[in-house]
Amino acid sequence: EGQSLETTLLECGFATDKQIAAGRAIQWGYPVLGQDASGQTIAADLPPTLLRTLSAAPLHYSPKAKRLVLGFVHRVEHSLLQSIEHITGLRPEPCFVTPTEFEEQMDRLTTVQDYEEAVIDNPGSAAQMARTLGGFAVEVSAREASFAKCNSWIWARLTGKRGTVDLLF
């Protein structure tokens, strides 16, 4: 009682994780991860906290081609796709993965050199957020700033002489 249909199907053995992922893919109109597509180590400048929160794992990342394939577990989070495109200039392409594939791929995610993520749990007022941003801007000698609203998060990216920092409020 009180559990989802998917959980019941899995527990009773009526469906596998792969079949559930394929069903989601059909429902949303996106592909499901192919057998040979997982297992790559990905070095990316994307905030892991945001990816974990929205159950999206980078499966293929090519900054030169401006292409990113993201594997979603439950649903395609369009606010994440739009935020990534706005902040990074990458063209994200969604597909579906199983919860196990998601966890395995997130374990393979590494960050690029001179990249940092900062999660600000209690951002305070707009003035306090601005002071926090200002402090990080000085730290990286910021030359560029980008902002996006992604689900319940505010994502700010500061890029400068001493690296890139993504702040999540």
Side-chain angles (χ1 to χ4, degrees), residues 4-7 9-10 16-33 55 72-76 95-102:
S4 72
L5 174 62
E6 292 169 0
T7 302
L9 291 172
L10 289 167
T16 65
D17 275 342
K18 277 283 191 197
Q19 290 169 325
I20 296 291
R24 283 191 186 111
I26 291 167
Q27 177 184 4
W28 284 83
Y30 293 110
V32 69
L33 175 68
S55 300
F72 288 89
V73 175
H74 305 291
R75 55 174 295 161
V76 174
C95 71
F96 279 90
V97 295
T98 67
T100 301
E101 290 166 335
F102 167 77

Side-chain angles (χ1 to χ4, degrees), residues 17 22 27-28 43 53 55 63 76 80 87 104 107 114 149 151 154-155 159 165 169:
D17 275 342
Q27 177 184 4
W28 284 83
T53 302
S55 300
V76 174
L80 178 61
I87 296 277
E104 289 171 352
D107 288 344
D114 296 326
K149 175 108 171 67
N151 235 345
I154 295 173
W155 175 9
T159 307
V165 63
F169 295 95

Side-chain angles (χ1 to χ4, degrees), residues 80-121:
L80 178 61
L81 299 176
Q82 292 166 348
S83 295
I84 288 172
E85 188 165 4
H86 176 75
I87 296 277
T88 68
L90 295 171
R91 196 182 34 168
E93 300 171 23
C95 71
F96 279 90
V97 295
T98 67
T100 301
E101 290 166 335
F102 167 77
E103 287 300 332
E104 289 171 352
Q105 196 59 32
M106 287 304 289
D107 288 344
R108 293 183 188 103
L109 179 64
T110 62
T111 56
V112 297
Q113 187 176 356
D114 296 326
Y115 171 80
E116 179 186 352
E117 175 198 61
V119 179
I120 314 302
D121 291 321

Side-chain angles (χ1 to χ4, degrees), residues 118-141:
V119 179
I120 314 302
D121 291 321
N122 298 311
S125 67
Q128 289 168 312
M129 290 172 70
R131 281 194 289 282
T132 301
L133 276 167
F136 278 94
V138 169
E139 189 179 304
V140 298
S141 296

Side-chain angles (χ1 to χ4, degrees), residues 11-74:
E11 286 179 359
C12 293
F14 295 133
T16 65
D17 275 342
K18 277 283 191 197
Q19 290 169 325
I20 296 291
R24 283 191 186 111
I26 291 167
Q27 177 184 4
W28 284 83
Y30 293 110
V32 69
L33 175 68
Q35 295 285 51
D36 57 341
S38 65
Q40 297 180 28
T41 298
I42 304 285
D45 58 346
L46 298 168
T49 300
L50 200 55
L51 296 172
R52 279 206 174 276
T53 302
L54 300 176
S55 300
L59 304 172
H60 175 77
Y61 180 77
S62 174
K64 286 183 181 176
K66 298 279 187 194
R67 185 168 181 252
L68 169 69
V69 177
L70 278 178
F72 288 89
V73 175
H74 305 291

